[in-house]
Amino acid sequence: MAKYILKRLALMVLLVIGMSFLVFASLYFAQGDPAEIAAGPSASVEEVEAMRHFLGLDQPFFVQYGNYLWNMLHGDLGTSLLSRQPIVNELAVRIPNTINLAVAAMLLACIVGIPLGMIAALKKDSILDNALTTISLAGISVPNFWFGTMLILLFCVRLHIFPTGGMTSFFWTAKGFREAVLPATALGLQVAAGFMRIGRSSMLDVLQSDYIRTARSKGLKERVVVVVHALRNGLIPIVTQMGTSFGGLLGGAIVTEQVFAINGIGTYLINAINQRNYTAVQGSVLLIATMFIVVNLIVDILYCVIDPRISYD
């Protein structure tokens, strides 16, 4: 296991470097001049050229990327073209808000999606199973920005139960819970629906296995058979989905943060794109990609915890 983790860490570094090259190259060849943005709209030609030289934009492409990569490996993602503040500092303020939202949405998806998927599998072909399957299809199809807007109109504008936006506290606090309920529900709806479908399919396969029939033939209670013997193996596909879903939550948070006015990485990225703040866009995309890679590494390690038969040695 230790060797596998070391290999994955080395691969993770290579993936981050490759991602940094793609992001840097795509923005390098994009329209617009970062020097003009950094110098300001009223800057003269001489001032723009001086800013271009100061930022190193007058150097060849690979020299610029080499400098960016060297700084990135030392924890420096550059300086914002507009605020002139280190991007690392600006992202550090917003990371907790995005992770807070993503974790709250993931917990909600697990609490709702996994049990409902199990119930649908245990009640196969019943009215309840058909209803849950229909709900899961609807949940996958509904865009989170539309669902979030409807939640705001109902629970904020009409009923005045929850705040319309903002997230300044962690979701496990009283204030943070009220702030996180609506955005976490809007963001986690599709994930919960996906867990329902995957959980149902996985549990149906497990419940038809030989060892489940053996456990039932021994006279074990159905609750023991389901919870002790079936659930653990049925969770493996869901854990796989958790890794990709959490990465999707980080990406989906870009839209959800805009709808609920949350000062997270997604809002920062959208503002950077609108303002053509290229260095901020690079840092934001690279951070999101790195978090996605780390989550998938954690998921692979969790396989061995859930099922000891899985080994990477």
Side-chain angles (χ1 to χ4, degrees), residues 12-209:
M12 184 180 70
V13 173
L14 294 177
L15 287 174
V16 171
I17 293 175
M19 180 62 66
S20 69
F21 178 79
L22 293 176
V23 174
F24 185 88
S26 61
L27 293 176
Y28 178 86
F29 294 106
Q31 294 181 352
D33 188 355
E36 293 181 356
I37 299 172
S42 60
S44 63
V45 177
E46 291 77 12
E47 291 173 334
V48 172
E49 290 298 326
M51 180 59 67
R52 181 176 290 107
H53 177 73
F54 175 76
L55 297 175
L57 299 177
D58 54 350
Q59 297 178 346
F61 169 78
F62 286 103
V63 174
Q64 293 186 39
Y65 173 70
N67 293 333
Y68 177 77
L69 179 61
W70 176 260
N71 293 331
M72 182 195 73
L73 295 177
H74 288 78
D76 182 8
L77 296 178
T79 303
S80 173
L81 298 178
L82 299 179
S83 66
R84 306 295 177 87
Q85 297 296 318
I87 294 174
V88 172
N89 295 344
E90 294 188 339
L91 289 175
V93 177
R94 295 165 173 83
I95 288 175
N97 294 332
T98 297
I99 294 180
N100 186 35
L101 174 60
V103 173
M106 177 59 72
L107 287 177
L108 180 65
C110 292
I111 293 172
V112 174
I114 296 176
L116 291 181
M118 290 179 55
I119 294 172
L122 295 173
K123 303 295 182 180
K124 180 185 176 183
D125 296 331
S126 65
I127 297 177
L128 180 60
D129 178 28
N130 294 331
L132 291 176
T133 302
T134 303
I135 292 173
S136 67
L137 288 173
I140 293 175
S141 305
V142 174
N144 57 11
F145 63 87
W146 179 86
F147 188 53
T149 304
M150 295 300 103
L151 291 176
I152 291 175
L153 289 175
L154 177 59
F155 292 100
C156 302
V157 178
R158 296 288 185 181
L159 302 179
H160 304 285
I161 298 177
F162 299 109
T164 56
M167 183 177 288
T168 58
S169 303
F170 292 107
F171 67 87
W172 56 81
T173 64
K175 179 182 178 183
F177 181 80
R178 292 189 70 252
E179 294 175 342
V181 167
L182 296 186
T185 301
L187 184 60
L189 174 67
Q190 292 182 339
V191 179
F195 285 173
M196 287 176 58
R197 293 176 59 82
I198 295 174
R200 179 184 182 276
S201 176
S202 177
M203 285 296 295
L204 285 176
D205 291 338
V206 171
L207 290 174
Q208 295 173 1
S209 301

Side-chain angles (χ1 to χ4, degrees), residues 97-99 101-102 144-145 183 187 246-274 281 284-289:
N97 294 332
T98 297
I99 294 180
L101 174 60
N144 57 11
F145 63 87
L187 184 60
F246 192 78
L249 289 176
L250 294 173
I254 295 176
V255 178
T256 306
E257 287 176 1
Q258 290 285 301
V259 174
F260 289 92
I262 298 173
N263 186 27
I265 301 176
T267 300
Y268 182 74
L269 176 58
I270 293 296
N271 292 337
I273 293 174
N274 293 333
V281 174
S284 303
V285 173
L286 190 60
L287 176 62
I288 294 174

Side-chain angles (χ1 to χ4, degrees), residues 235-247:
L235 282 177
I236 294 178
I238 299 177
V239 171
T240 305
Q241 184 68 16
M242 284 182 181
T244 56
S245 296
F246 192 78

